[in-house]
Amino acid sequence: IGAMDSRPRFISAVVIRLLMGALLWWLADELRHPQVMRVLAIIAVAAAVVILVAGQARLDSMVRWWLGKPDSVLRISATFAALFGAWLAWEAA
């Protein structure tokens, strides 16, 4: 499915979401919209739990499904991800 093997991808998906949730919660009071950041933190942790419960096989299936989408869809989603990252950077500025 790509450069990363299934098991490391699964572990990374869970750990990154847990770390992001913890970081957003911890820094929320320092950011422009602390309530929004806390909601995003809860969503990130919930996503980690859902991925953990769903399991590695289901994550692999979702990755295959997503990568099967047309390039235009992937580009649009990458644009939204970049905009979200820029918004998070603005929150911290």
Side-chain angles (χ1 to χ4, degrees):
I1 297 178
M4 187 182 282
D5 288 333
S6 181
R7 187 70 177 161
R9 180 179 42 246
F10 178 72
I11 293 168
S12 297
V14 172
V15 170
I16 288 170
R17 280 160 184 78
L18 288 174
L19 290 174
M20 188 65 147
L23 186 64
L24 287 172
W25 191 272
W26 181 48
L27 295 176
D29 289 332
E30 307 299 321
L31 301 175
R32 295 176 193 240
H33 300 98
Q35 298 86 356
V36 174
M37 294 300 110
R38 286 207 170 88
V39 169
L40 290 175
I42 291 167
I43 290 170
V45 171
V49 171
V50 167
I51 290 170
L52 195 57
V53 169
Q56 182 177 330
R58 188 158 290 166
L59 178 63
D60 289 345
S61 175
M62 288 177 10
V63 169
R64 274 192 298 279
W65 173 80
W66 184 250
L67 292 178
K69 298 294 174 204
D71 286 346
S72 59
V73 172
L74 298 177
R75 286 188 183 108
I76 290 169
S77 68
T79 301
F80 280 117
L83 290 172
F84 181 68
W87 178 74
L88 285 176
W90 173 78
E91 280 286 329

